[in-house]
Amino acid sequence: MIINSGNDYIAALKGNQLNLFKDVKTNFTPELAYEQINKGHGRIEKRHVSICKNLDGIRPWPGLTTLIKVKSERQVFTQCD
């Protein structure tokens, strides 16, 4: 219904789509990347986002045009008295 309406959608890919997950893990080649680091509230958060539009080697999925990979890391600091 979303595809037929012309709207875009975003979905998370997890291990429950095992074959597609393997395809993406094997064939994801970043074309654009962005990194952001935030500090505050006793922690440092680092996010790395990369985009891949080349779907060679990725099995068909209705409406799939772009893959986005998000990796985040968080370090929490505690104060010692």
Coordinates of all heavy atoms in Angstrom, one line a residue:
M1 N 0.8 -1.2 0.0 CA 0.0 0.0 0.0 C 0.9 1.3 0.0 O 0.6 2.2 -0.7 CB -0.9 0.0 1.2 CG -1.9 1.1 1.2 SD -3.1 0.8 2.5 CE -4.4 1.7 1.9
I2 N 2.0 1.3 0.8 CA 2.8 2.4 0.8 C 3.5 2.6 -0.6 O 3.5 3.8 -1.1 CB 3.9 2.3 1.9 CG1 3.3 2.3 3.3 CG2 5.0 3.4 1.8 CD1 4.3 1.9 4.4
I3 N 3.9 1.6 -1.2 CA 4.6 1.7 -2.5 C 3.6 2.2 -3.5 O 4.0 3.1 -4.3 CB 5.2 0.3 -2.9 CG1 6.3 0.0 -1.9 CG2 5.8 0.4 -4.3 CD1 6.8 -1.5 -2.0
N4 N 2.4 1.6 -3.5 CA 1.4 2.0 -4.5 C 1.0 3.5 -4.4 O 0.6 4.1 -5.3 CB 0.2 1.1 -4.5 CG 0.5 -0.3 -4.9 OD1 1.5 -0.5 -5.6 ND2 -0.2 -1.2 -4.4
S5 N 1.1 4.0 -3.2 CA 0.7 5.4 -2.9 C 1.8 6.4 -3.3 O 1.5 7.6 -3.3 CB 0.3 5.6 -1.4 OG 1.5 5.5 -0.6
G6 N 3.0 5.9 -3.7 CA 4.1 6.8 -4.0 C 4.8 7.4 -2.9 O 5.7 8.2 -3.0
N7 N 4.5 7.0 -1.7 CA 5.2 7.4 -0.5 C 6.5 6.7 -0.3 O 6.7 5.5 -0.7 CB 4.3 7.3 0.7 CG 3.2 8.3 0.7 OD1 3.4 9.5 0.5 ND2 2.0 7.7 0.8
D8 N 7.4 7.3 0.5 CA 8.6 6.6 0.9 C 8.4 5.9 2.2 O 7.5 6.3 3.0 CB 9.8 7.6 1.0 CG 10.1 8.3 -0.3 OD1 10.0 7.6 -1.4 OD2 10.5 9.4 -0.3
Y9 N 9.3 4.9 2.5 CA 9.3 4.3 3.8 C 10.7 3.9 4.2 O 11.6 3.9 3.4 CB 8.3 3.1 3.8 CG 8.8 1.9 3.0 CD1 9.6 0.9 3.6 CD2 8.6 1.8 1.6 CE1 10.0 -0.2 2.9 CE2 9.0 0.7 0.9 CZ 9.7 -0.3 1.5 OH 10.2 -1.3 0.8
I10 N 10.8 3.7 5.5 CA 12.1 3.3 6.0 C 11.8 2.1 6.9 O 10.8 2.0 7.7 CB 12.8 4.4 6.8 CG1 14.3 4.1 7.0 CG2 12.1 4.7 8.1 CD1 15.1 5.3 7.4
A11 N 12.7 1.1 6.9 CA 12.5 -0.1 7.7 C 13.8 -0.6 8.2 O 14.9 -0.4 7.6 CB 11.8 -1.2 6.8
A12 N 13.8 -1.2 9.4 CA 15.0 -1.7 10.0 C 15.2 -3.1 9.5 O 14.3 -3.9 9.5 CB 14.9 -1.7 11.5
L13 N 16.4 -3.5 9.1 CA 16.8 -4.8 8.7 C 17.5 -5.5 9.9 O 18.5 -5.1 10.4 CB 17.7 -4.8 7.5 CG 18.2 -6.1 7.0 CD1 17.0 -7.1 6.6 CD2 19.1 -5.9 5.8
K14 N 16.9 -6.6 10.3 CA 17.4 -7.4 11.4 C 17.6 -8.8 10.9 O 17.4 -9.2 9.8 CB 16.5 -7.3 12.6 CG 16.3 -5.9 13.1 CD 15.4 -5.9 14.3 CE 14.0 -5.9 13.9 NZ 13.0 -5.8 15.0
G15 N 18.1 -9.6 11.8 CA 18.4 -11.0 11.5 C 17.2 -11.9 11.2 O 17.4 -13.0 10.7
N16 N 16.0 -11.4 11.4 CA 14.8 -12.2 11.0 C 14.6 -12.3 9.5 O 13.8 -13.1 9.1 CB 13.6 -11.7 11.7 CG 13.2 -10.3 11.3 OD1 14.0 -9.5 10.8 ND2 12.0 -9.9 11.6
Q17 N 15.3 -11.5 8.7 CA 15.3 -11.6 7.3 C 16.7 -12.0 6.9 O 17.5 -11.3 6.3 CB 15.0 -10.2 6.6 CG 13.6 -9.7 6.9 CD 12.6 -10.6 6.2 OE1 12.9 -11.2 5.1 NE2 11.4 -10.6 6.7
L18 N 17.0 -13.3 7.3 CA 18.4 -13.8 7.2 C 19.0 -13.7 5.9 O 20.2 -13.2 5.8 CB 18.4 -15.3 7.7 CG 19.8 -15.9 7.8 CD1 20.6 -15.1 8.8 CD2 19.6 -17.4 8.2
N19 N 18.4 -14.1 4.8 CA 19.0 -14.0 3.5 C 19.3 -12.6 3.0 O 20.4 -12.3 2.5 CB 18.2 -14.8 2.4 CG 18.2 -16.2 2.7 OD1 19.1 -16.8 3.1 ND2 17.0 -16.9 2.4
L20 N 18.3 -11.7 3.2 CA 18.5 -10.3 2.8 C 19.6 -9.7 3.7 O 20.4 -8.9 3.2 CB 17.2 -9.5 3.0 CG 17.2 -8.1 2.6 CD1 17.6 -7.9 1.1 CD2 15.9 -7.4 2.8
F21 N 19.6 -10.0 5.0 CA 20.6 -9.5 5.9 C 22.0 -9.9 5.4 O 22.9 -9.1 5.4 CB 20.3 -10.1 7.3 CG 21.2 -9.5 8.4 CD1 20.9 -8.3 8.9 CD2 22.3 -10.2 8.9 CE1 21.7 -7.7 9.9 CE2 23.1 -9.7 9.9 CZ 22.8 -8.4 10.4
K22 N 22.2 -11.2 5.0 CA 23.5 -11.7 4.5 C 23.9 -10.9 3.3 O 25.0 -10.5 3.1 CB 23.4 -13.2 4.3 CG 23.4 -14.0 5.5 CD 23.4 -15.5 5.1 CE 23.3 -16.4 6.4 NZ 23.1 -17.8 6.0
D23 N 22.9 -10.7 2.4 CA 23.2 -10.0 1.1 C 23.7 -8.6 1.4 O 24.7 -8.1 0.8 CB 21.9 -9.8 0.3 CG 21.5 -11.1 -0.4 OD1 22.2 -12.1 -0.3 OD2 20.3 -11.1 -0.9
V24 N 23.0 -7.9 2.3 CA 23.4 -6.5 2.6 C 24.8 -6.5 3.3 O 25.6 -5.7 3.0 CB 22.3 -5.8 3.5 CG1 22.8 -4.5 4.0 CG2 21.0 -5.7 2.7
K25 N 25.0 -7.4 4.3 CA 26.3 -7.4 5.0 C 27.4 -7.7 4.0 O 28.5 -7.1 4.1 CB 26.2 -8.5 6.0 CG 27.2 -8.4 7.1 CD 26.9 -9.4 8.2 CE 27.9 -9.1 9.3 NZ 27.7 -9.9 10.5
T26 N 27.2 -8.5 3.0 CA 28.2 -8.9 2.1 C 28.5 -7.8 1.0 O 29.6 -7.6 0.6 CB 27.9 -10.2 1.4 OG1 27.7 -11.2 2.3 CG2 29.0 -10.6 0.4
N27 N 27.4 -7.2 0.5 CA 27.5 -6.3 -0.6 C 27.3 -4.8 -0.4 O 27.4 -4.0 -1.3 CB 26.4 -6.7 -1.6 CG 26.6 -8.1 -2.1 OD1 27.6 -8.4 -2.8 ND2 25.7 -9.0 -1.8
F28 N 27.2 -4.4 0.9 CA 27.0 -3.0 1.2 C 28.3 -2.2 0.9 O 29.3 -2.5 1.6 CB 26.6 -2.8 2.6 CG 26.3 -1.3 3.0 CD1 24.9 -0.9 3.0 CD2 27.2 -0.5 3.4 CE1 24.6 0.4 3.3 CE2 26.9 0.8 3.7 CZ 25.6 1.3 3.7
T29 N 28.3 -1.3 0.0 CA 29.5 -0.5 -0.3 C 29.1 1.0 -0.1 O 28.3 1.5 -0.9 CB 29.9 -0.7 -1.8 OG1 30.2 -2.1 -1.9 CG2 31.2 0.1 -2.1
P30 N 29.6 1.6 0.9 CA 29.2 3.0 1.2 C 29.6 4.0 0.1 O 30.7 3.9 -0.5 CB 30.0 3.4 2.5 CG 30.5 2.1 3.0 CD 30.6 1.1 1.9
E31 N 28.6 4.8 -0.3 CA 28.8 5.8 -1.3 C 28.9 7.2 -0.7 O 29.7 8.1 -1.2 CB 27.7 5.8 -2.4 CG 27.6 4.4 -3.1 CD 26.4 4.2 -3.9 OE1 25.8 5.2 -4.4 OE2 25.9 3.1 -4.0
L32 N 28.2 7.4 0.4 CA 28.3 8.7 1.1 C 28.4 8.3 2.6 O 27.8 7.3 3.0 CB 27.0 9.5 0.9 CG 26.8 10.1 -0.5 CD1 25.4 10.6 -0.6 CD2 27.9 11.1 -0.8
A33 N 29.0 9.1 3.4 CA 29.1 8.8 4.8 C 29.1 10.1 5.6 O 29.6 11.2 5.1 CB 30.4 8.0 5.1
Y34 N 28.6 10.0 6.8 CA 28.6 11.2 7.7 C 28.8 10.7 9.1 O 28.3 9.7 9.5 CB 27.2 11.9 7.6 CG 27.1 13.0 8.6 CD1 27.6 14.3 8.4 CD2 26.3 12.9 9.8 CE1 27.5 15.3 9.2 CE2 26.2 13.9 10.6 CZ 26.8 15.1 10.4 OH 26.6 16.2 11.3
E35 N 29.6 11.5 9.9 CA 29.9 11.1 11.3 C 29.6 12.3 12.2 O 29.9 13.4 11.8 CB 31.4 10.7 11.4 CG 31.7 10.1 12.7 CD 33.1 9.5 12.8 OE1 33.2 8.3 12.3 OE2 34.0 10.2 13.2
Q36 N 29.0 12.0 13.3 CA 28.7 13.0 14.3 C 29.1 12.6 15.7 O 28.9 11.4 16.0 CB 27.2 13.3 14.3 CG 26.7 14.3 15.3 CD 25.2 14.5 15.2 OE1 24.5 13.5 15.1 NE2 24.8 15.7 15.4
I37 N 29.7 13.5 16.4 CA 30.1 13.2 17.8 C 29.5 14.2 18.7 O 29.6 15.4 18.5 CB 31.6 13.2 18.0 CG1 32.3 12.2 17.1 CG2 32.0 13.0 19.5 CD1 33.8 12.2 17.1
N38 N 28.8 13.8 19.7 CA 28.1 14.6 20.7 C 28.7 14.3 22.1 O 28.8 13.2 22.5 CB 26.6 14.5 20.7 CG 26.0 14.9 19.4 OD1 25.7 14.0 18.6 ND2 25.8 16.1 19.2
K39 N 28.9 15.4 22.9 CA 29.4 15.2 24.3 C 28.4 15.9 25.2 O 27.9 17.0 24.9 CB 30.8 15.8 24.5 CG 31.9 15.2 23.6 CD 33.2 15.9 23.8 CE 34.2 15.4 22.9 NZ 35.5 16.1 22.9
G40 N 28.1 15.3 26.3 CA 27.2 16.0 27.3 C 26.5 15.0 28.1 O 26.4 13.8 27.8
H41 N 26.0 15.4 29.2 CA 25.2 14.6 30.2 C 26.0 13.3 30.6 O 25.5 12.2 30.7 CB 23.9 14.2 29.5 CG 23.1 15.3 29.1 ND1 22.4 16.2 29.9 CD2 22.8 15.8 27.8 CE1 21.8 17.1 29.3 NE2 22.0 16.9 28.0
G42 N 27.3 13.5 30.7 CA 28.2 12.4 31.2 C 28.5 11.3 30.2 O 28.8 10.2 30.6
R43 N 28.3 11.6 28.9 CA 28.6 10.6 27.9 C 29.1 11.2 26.6 O 28.9 12.4 26.4 CB 27.4 9.8 27.7 CG 26.2 10.5 27.1 CD 25.0 9.6 26.9 NE 23.9 10.3 26.4 CZ 22.8 10.7 27.1 NH1 22.7 10.4 28.4 NH2 21.8 11.4 26.6
I44 N 29.7 10.4 25.8 CA 30.1 10.8 24.5 C 29.4 9.8 23.5 O 29.4 8.6 23.7 CB 31.6 10.7 24.3 CG1 32.4 11.6 25.2 CG2 32.0 10.9 22.8 CD1 33.9 11.5 25.1
E45 N 28.7 10.4 22.6 CA 28.0 9.5 21.6 C 28.5 9.8 20.2 O 28.7 10.9 19.8 CB 26.5 9.9 21.6 CG 25.8 9.5 22.9 CD 24.3 9.7 22.9 OE1 23.7 9.0 22.1 OE2 23.8 10.6 23.6
K46 N 28.8 8.7 19.5 CA 29.4 8.8 18.2 C 28.5 8.1 17.2 O 28.1 6.9 17.5 CB 30.8 8.2 18.1 CG 31.5 8.3 16.8 CD 32.9 7.7 17.0 CE 33.7 7.7 15.7 NZ 35.0 7.1 15.8
R47 N 28.1 8.7 16.1 CA 27.2 8.1 15.1 C 27.9 8.2 13.8 O 28.4 9.2 13.4 CB 25.8 8.8 15.1 CG 25.0 8.7 16.3 CD 23.8 9.6 16.2 NE 23.2 9.7 17.5 CZ 23.5 10.6 18.4 NH1 24.4 11.5 18.2 NH2 22.9 10.6 19.6
H48 N 27.8 7.1 13.1 CA 28.3 7.0 11.7 C 27.2 6.5 10.8 O 26.7 5.4 11.1 CB 29.5 6.0 11.7 CG 30.2 6.0 10.4 ND1 31.2 6.9 10.0 CD2 30.0 5.2 9.3 CE1 31.6 6.6 8.8 NE2 30.9 5.6 8.3
V49 N 26.9 7.3 9.8 CA 25.8 6.9 8.9 C 26.4 6.8 7.5 O 27.1 7.7 7.1 CB 24.7 8.0 8.9 CG1 23.6 7.7 7.9 CG2 24.1 8.2 10.3
S50 N 26.1 5.8 6.8 CA 26.6 5.6 5.4 C 25.4 5.1 4.5 O 24.5 4.5 5.0 CB 27.7 4.6 5.3 OG 27.5 3.4 6.0
I51 N 25.5 5.5 3.3 CA 24.4 5.3 2.3 C 24.9 4.5 1.1 O 26.0 4.8 0.6 CB 23.8 6.6 1.9 CG1 23.2 7.3 3.1 CG2 22.8 6.4 0.8 CD1 22.7 8.7 2.7
C52 N 24.2 3.6 0.6 CA 24.5 2.8 -0.5 C 23.3 2.7 -1.4 O 22.2 2.2 -1.0 CB 24.9 1.4 -0.1 SG 25.2 0.2 -1.4
K53 N 23.4 3.1 -2.7 CA 22.3 3.0 -3.6 C 22.6 1.9 -4.7 O 21.7 1.5 -5.4 CB 22.2 4.3 -4.4 CG 21.6 5.4 -3.5 CD 21.2 6.6 -4.3 CE 20.4 7.6 -3.5 NZ 19.0 7.5 -3.9
N54 N 23.8 1.3 -4.7 CA 24.1 0.2 -5.5 C 23.5 -1.1 -4.9 O 24.0 -1.5 -3.9 CB 25.6 0.1 -5.8 CG 26.0 -1.0 -6.7 OD1 25.1 -1.8 -7.1 ND2 27.3 -1.1 -7.0
L55 N 22.5 -1.7 -5.5 CA 21.9 -2.8 -5.0 C 22.3 -4.1 -5.7 O 21.7 -5.2 -5.5 CB 20.4 -2.7 -5.1 CG 19.8 -1.4 -4.4 CD1 18.3 -1.3 -4.5 CD2 20.2 -1.4 -2.9
D56 N 23.5 -4.1 -6.4 CA 24.0 -5.3 -7.0 C 24.3 -6.3 -5.9 O 24.9 -6.0 -4.9 CB 25.3 -5.0 -7.8 CG 25.1 -4.2 -9.0 OD1 23.9 -4.0 -9.4 OD2 26.0 -3.6 -9.5
G57 N 23.8 -7.5 -6.1 CA 24.0 -8.6 -5.1 C 23.0 -8.6 -4.0 O 23.1 -9.5 -3.1
I58 N 22.0 -7.7 -4.0 CA 21.0 -7.6 -3.0 C 19.7 -8.2 -3.6 O 19.3 -7.7 -4.6 CB 20.7 -6.2 -2.5 CG1 22.0 -5.5 -2.1 CG2 19.7 -6.1 -1.4 CD1 22.7 -6.0 -0.9
R59 N 19.2 -9.2 -3.0 CA 17.9 -9.8 -3.5 C 16.8 -8.7 -3.5 O 16.8 -7.8 -2.7 CB 17.5 -11.1 -2.8 CG 17.2 -10.9 -1.4 CD 17.1 -12.2 -0.6 NE 18.4 -12.8 -0.5 CZ 18.7 -14.1 -0.9 NH1 17.8 -14.9 -1.2 NH2 19.9 -14.5 -0.8
P60 N 15.9 -8.9 -4.5 CA 14.8 -7.9 -4.6 C 14.0 -7.8 -3.3 O 13.7 -8.8 -2.7 CB 14.0 -8.4 -5.7 CG 14.9 -9.3 -6.5 CD 15.8 -9.9 -5.5
W61 N 13.6 -6.5 -3.0 CA 12.7 -6.2 -1.9 C 11.7 -5.1 -2.4 O 12.2 -4.1 -3.0 CB 13.4 -5.8 -0.7 CG 12.6 -5.6 0.5 CD1 12.0 -4.5 0.9 CD2 12.3 -6.6 1.5 NE1 11.3 -4.7 2.1 CE2 11.5 -6.0 2.5 CE3 12.6 -7.9 1.6 CZ2 11.0 -6.6 3.6 CZ3 12.1 -8.6 2.7 CH2 11.3 -8.0 3.7
P62 N 10.4 -5.3 -2.3 CA 9.5 -4.3 -2.8 C 9.8 -2.8 -2.4 O 9.9 -2.5 -1.2 CB 8.1 -4.7 -2.2 CG 8.3 -6.2 -2.0 CD 9.7 -6.3 -1.5
G63 N 10.1 -2.0 -3.4 CA 10.3 -0.6 -3.1 C 11.8 -0.2 -2.7 O 12.1 0.9 -2.5
L64 N 12.6 -1.2 -2.6 CA 14.0 -0.9 -2.1 C 14.8 -0.2 -3.1 O 14.9 -0.6 -4.2 CB 14.7 -2.3 -1.7 CG 16.1 -2.1 -1.2 CD1 16.1 -1.4 0.1 CD2 16.8 -3.5 -1.0
T65 N 15.3 1.0 -2.7 CA 16.1 1.8 -3.6 C 17.4 2.2 -3.0 O 18.4 2.5 -3.7 CB 15.4 3.1 -4.1 OG1 15.1 3.9 -2.9 CG2 14.1 2.7 -4.9
T66 N 17.5 2.3 -1.6 CA 18.6 2.8 -0.9 C 18.8 2.1 0.4 O 17.9 1.8 1.1 CB 18.4 4.3 -0.6 OG1 18.2 5.0 -1.8 CG2 19.7 4.9 0.0
L67 N 20.1 1.8 0.7 CA 20.4 1.2 2.0 C 21.1 2.2 2.8 O 21.9 3.0 2.4 CB 21.3 0.0 1.8 CG 20.8 -1.2 0.9 CD1 21.9 -2.1 0.6 CD2 19.7 -1.9 1.7
I68 N 20.7 2.3 4.1 CA 21.3 3.2 5.0 C 21.8 2.4 6.2 O 21.1 1.7 6.8 CB 20.3 4.3 5.5 CG1 19.7 5.0 4.3 CG2 20.9 5.2 6.5 CD1 18.5 5.9 4.7
K69 N 23.1 2.6 6.6 CA 23.7 1.9 7.7 C 24.0 2.9 8.8 O 24.6 3.9 8.5 CB 24.9 1.2 7.3 CG 25.6 0.4 8.3 CD 26.9 -0.3 7.7 CE 27.6 -1.1 8.7 NZ 28.8 -1.8 8.1
V70 N 23.5 2.6 10.0 CA 23.8 3.5 11.1 C 24.5 2.7 12.2 O 24.1 1.6 12.6 CB 22.4 4.0 11.7 CG1 22.7 4.9 12.9 CG2 21.6 4.8 10.7
K71 N 25.6 3.2 12.6 CA 26.4 2.6 13.7 C 26.6 3.6 14.8 O 27.0 4.8 14.5 CB 27.8 2.2 13.2 CG 28.6 1.5 14.2 CD 30.0 1.1 13.7 CE 30.8 0.5 14.8 NZ 32.2 0.1 14.3
S72 N 26.3 3.3 16.0 CA 26.4 4.2 17.1 C 27.2 3.6 18.2 O 27.1 2.4 18.5 CB 25.0 4.7 17.5 OG 24.3 3.7 18.0
E73 N 27.9 4.5 18.9 CA 28.7 4.0 20.0 C 28.5 5.0 21.1 O 28.3 6.2 20.9 CB 30.2 4.1 19.7 CG 30.6 3.1 18.6 CD 32.1 3.3 18.2 OE1 32.9 3.6 19.1 OE2 32.4 3.2 17.0
R74 N 28.4 4.6 22.3 CA 28.2 5.4 23.5 C 29.2 5.1 24.6 O 29.3 3.9 25.0 CB 26.8 5.3 24.0 CG 26.5 6.2 25.2 CD 25.1 6.0 25.8 NE 24.1 6.5 24.8 CZ 22.8 6.3 24.9 NH1 22.3 5.6 25.9 NH2 22.0 6.8 24.0
Q75 N 29.8 6.1 25.1 CA 30.7 5.9 26.3 C 30.1 6.7 27.4 O 29.8 7.9 27.3 CB 32.1 6.4 26.0 CG 32.8 5.6 25.0 CD 34.2 6.1 24.8 OE1 34.5 7.3 25.0 NE2 35.1 5.3 24.3
V76 N 29.8 6.1 28.5 CA 29.2 6.8 29.7 C 30.3 6.9 30.7 O 31.1 6.0 31.0 CB 28.1 5.9 30.3 CG1 27.5 6.6 31.5 CG2 27.0 5.8 29.2
F77 N 30.5 8.1 31.3 CA 31.5 8.4 32.3 C 30.8 8.6 33.6 O 29.8 9.3 33.7 CB 32.3 9.7 31.9 CG 33.0 9.5 30.6 CD1 32.5 10.0 29.4 CD2 34.2 8.8 30.6 CE1 33.1 9.9 28.2 CE2 34.9 8.7 29.4 CZ 34.4 9.2 28.2
T78 N 31.3 8.0 34.6 CA 30.8 8.2 36.0 C 31.8 8.9 36.8 O 33.1 8.8 36.6 CB 30.5 6.8 36.7 OG1 31.7 6.0 36.7 CG2 29.4 6.0 35.9
Q79 N 31.4 9.8 37.7 CA 32.3 10.5 38.5 C 32.6 9.8 39.8 O 31.8 9.1 40.4 CB 31.6 11.9 38.9 CG 31.4 12.8 37.7 CD 30.9 14.1 38.2 OE1 30.4 14.3 39.3 NE2 30.9 15.1 37.3
C80 N 33.9 9.8 40.1 CA 34.3 9.2 41.4 C 34.5 10.3 42.4 O 35.1 11.3 42.1 CB 35.6 8.4 41.1 SG 35.5 7.1 40.0
D81 N 34.0 10.1 43.6 CA 34.1 11.1 44.6 C 35.4 10.9 45.4 O 35.9 9.9 45.6 CB 32.9 11.1 45.6 CG 31.7 11.5 44.8 OD1 31.8 12.4 44.0 OD2 30.6 11.0 45.1

